[in-house]
């Protein structure tokens, strides 16, 4: 879960142990209703037509973006434009994604499985969330003028962070989200400040603003990618974190003269961990090192002549354990 895709769990277990059967039944009902609403979020990102402005915050950094999502004639369109700092614009039509970087005069084009540009959840993994999180409904609150239902999600172990979501119960659209540390403080968040359902049906609403301005001096980088089904045959995980499973694998070639890199994504339904394996990018004698990009932890290590970079919205110690469990298979 990006942006939120991203620890008081023992208190929940104690409360359950001391509560009466009626209290336990009431809590289970609340958790079931919360999961149903989360399932609605997982499908709304592909079905709801809307436009709006949202703000992303991570530490002292903030970024404002405008998004338009349109369903028309059986096709899905998305346009995301960053409104402050360096200009960026990302367009998606079904499986084709086009990223415009005006400062670099570059257009990056990639064909990939349809994944929304906006934060959402993975529908296939929500049923198992209660094994690793305490999920419950909170209070109603207004976000961008819309009455929304809050959902509180607390982790049951040290391998993940907590989350708080505000969801439009009518459409299932995620309106606000926070990724919470062990003290319940927000590591990162996003929230709509403006929202309108039923974006203008005119296709002009989702055309790239920078497409018309693109001249001959722009570079066009076609990213070739292909899905990796099942075992890739070369890499294995020795210590997978509880609850995480592989949800996708992609081989990418950034340039015609570059070898293919591998990206594997693991998720527990909320948190995500991405593994990037780049052949020929390992530096001789490089020591493993941790780094951070806002609320996202990172860990880089060298395996033979490969650079292995692991990033995710999980605690640094959990990410390091995950990264150190990656190894090449013996032949």
């Amino acid at each position: 879960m990006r942006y939120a895709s991203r620890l008081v769990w023992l208190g929940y277990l104690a409360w359950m142990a001391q509560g009466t059967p009626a209290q336990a039944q009431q809590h289970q009902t609340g958790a079931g209703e919360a999961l149903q609403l989360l399932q609605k979020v997982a499908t709304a990102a592909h079905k709801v037509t809307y436009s709006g402005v949202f703000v992303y915050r991570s530490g002292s950094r903030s970024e404002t973006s405008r998004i338009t999502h349109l369903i028309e004639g059986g096709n899905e369109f998305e346009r995301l434009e960053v409104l402050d700092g360096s200009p960026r614009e990302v367009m998606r039509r079904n499986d084709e994604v086009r990223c415009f970087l005006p400062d670099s005069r570059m257009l990056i084009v990639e064909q990939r499985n349809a994944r929304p540009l906006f934060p959402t959840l993975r529908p296939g993994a929500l049923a198992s969330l209660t094994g690793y999180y305490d999920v419950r409904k909170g209070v109603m609150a207004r976000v961008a003028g819309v009455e929304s239902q809050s959902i509180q999600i607390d982790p049951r172990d040290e391998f993940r962070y907590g989350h708080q979501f505000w969801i439009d119960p009518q459409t299932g659209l995620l309106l606000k989200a926070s990724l919470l540390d062990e003290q319940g403080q927000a590591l990162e968040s996003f929230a709509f400040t403006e929202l309108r359902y039923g974006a203008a049906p005119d296709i002009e609403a989702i055309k790239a603003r920078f497409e018309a301005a693109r001249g001959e001096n722009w570079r066009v980088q076609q990213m070739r990618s292909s899905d990796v089904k099942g075992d890739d045959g070369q890499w294995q995980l020795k210590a997978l974190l509880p609850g995480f499973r592989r949800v996708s694998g992609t081989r990418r070639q950034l340039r015609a003269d570059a070898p293919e890199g591998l990206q594997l994504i693991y998720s527990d339904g909320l948190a995500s961990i991405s593994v990037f394996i780049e052949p020929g990018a390992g530096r001789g004698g490089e020591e493993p090192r941790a780094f951070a990009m806002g609320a996202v932890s990172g860990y880089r290590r060298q395996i033979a002549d490969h650079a292995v970079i692991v990033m995710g919205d999980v605690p640094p110690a959990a990410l390091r354990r995950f990264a150190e469990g990656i190894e090449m298979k013996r032949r």
Side-chain angles (χ1 to χ4, degrees):
M1 166 74 190
R2 197 177 170 195
Y3 295 103
S5 295
R6 297 193 323 239
L7 273 156
V8 193
W9 55 95
L10 294 178
Y12 161 73
L13 296 178
W15 180 85
M16 285 293 289
Q18 296 171 6
T20 64
Q23 289 173 318
Q25 180 63 41
Q26 182 181 13
H27 182 88
Q28 290 167 2
T29 301
E33 292 174 353
L35 286 173
Q36 288 178 1
L37 194 51
L38 292 177
Q39 185 67 49
K40 198 171 182 178
V41 172
T43 58
H46 289 289
K47 294 182 177 181
V48 179
T49 292
Y50 65 90
S51 61
V53 175
F54 67 90
V55 177
Y56 166 71
R57 290 187 173 88
S58 178
S60 61
R61 172 175 166 256
S62 68
E63 188 173 86
T64 305
S65 301
R66 178 184 291 115
I67 188 168
T68 300
H69 183 263
L70 177 64
I71 305 295
E72 183 176 81
N75 293 305
E76 185 178 4
F77 303 89
E78 253 182 321
R79 174 177 179 263
L80 179 69
E81 180 185 5
V82 179
L83 301 178
D84 44 23
S86 177
R88 281 156 287 157
E89 188 176 30
V90 184
M91 310 292 301
R92 181 170 71 85
R93 174 172 178 166
N94 298 327
D95 290 351
E96 184 187 75
V97 178
R98 298 163 67 87
C99 181
F100 294 84
L101 305 172
D103 284 356
S104 305
R105 297 188 177 277
M106 178 181 290
L107 168 62
I108 301 173
V109 183
E110 181 183 9
Q111 292 286 139
R112 68 183 189 188
N113 289 335
R115 282 173 282 176
L117 306 177
F118 192 69
T120 187
L121 303 174
R122 298 181 183 275
L126 295 179
S128 62
L129 281 186
T130 53
Y132 306 97
Y133 297 91
D134 170 21
V135 182
R136 64 186 186 276
K137 289 173 66 177
V139 299
M140 298 293 291
R142 277 167 54 85
V143 178
V146 179
E147 198 70 20
S148 64
Q149 173 67 59
S150 66
I151 303 292
Q152 183 70 36
I153 304 175
D154 296 323
R156 296 178 182 271
D157 57 33
E158 70 276 20
F159 300 121
R160 51 208 104 221
Y161 287 130
H163 300 258
Q164 191 169 16
F165 298 146
W166 289 260
I167 302 163
D168 180 351
Q170 301 301 314
T171 65
L173 191 66
L174 189 59
L175 304 180
K176 181 179 177 181
S178 295
L179 183 69
L180 308 175
D181 66 11
E182 295 89 337
Q183 289 74 44
Q185 299 299 309
L187 293 166
E188 68 174 7
S189 66
F190 86 88
F192 271 109
T193 58
E194 300 176 19
L195 179 63
R196 180 166 63 92
Y197 289 117
D202 188 349
I203 206 69
E204 295 293 325
I206 46 80
K207 279 191 175 180
R209 183 166 68 89
F210 295 112
E211 182 70 73
R214 183 163 66 90
E216 295 181 357
N217 58 344
W218 276 56
R219 289 179 295 152
V220 179
Q221 183 170 305
Q222 294 276 354
M223 289 185 62
R224 297 173 54 189
S225 61
S226 59
D227 290 343
V228 176
K229 304 294 185 183
D231 188 353
D232 81 308
Q234 186 177 5
W235 298 92
Q236 63 183 1
L237 265 173
K238 192 168 52 176
L240 190 64
L241 297 180
F244 284 82
R245 64 181 183 85
R246 201 180 102 176
V247 294
S248 70
T250 307
R251 291 194 181 276
R252 284 191 175 89
Q253 187 176 25
L254 299 180
R255 305 185 314 274
D257 59 345
E260 281 188 331
L262 176 65
Q263 180 186 7
L264 304 173
I265 299 178
Y266 297 80
S267 178
D268 66 357
L270 288 179
S272 293
I273 297 175
S274 291
V275 179
F276 301 91
I277 301 175
E278 302 174 6
R283 303 165 189 155
E286 180 182 9
E287 293 293 326
R289 63 181 179 88
F291 61 93
M293 296 177 62
V296 175
S297 301
Y299 194 82
R300 179 187 174 108
R301 57 187 294 236
Q302 179 182 338
I303 302 179
D305 65 340
H306 292 69
V308 178
I309 302 163
V310 184
M311 302 175 65
D313 52 353
V314 297
L319 191 78
R320 178 171 180 167
R321 167 176 160 162
F322 187 95
E324 292 182 343
I326 299 172
E327 60 182 24
M328 296 182 75
K329 291 183 178 178
R330 294 180 180 177
R331 302 198 176 191

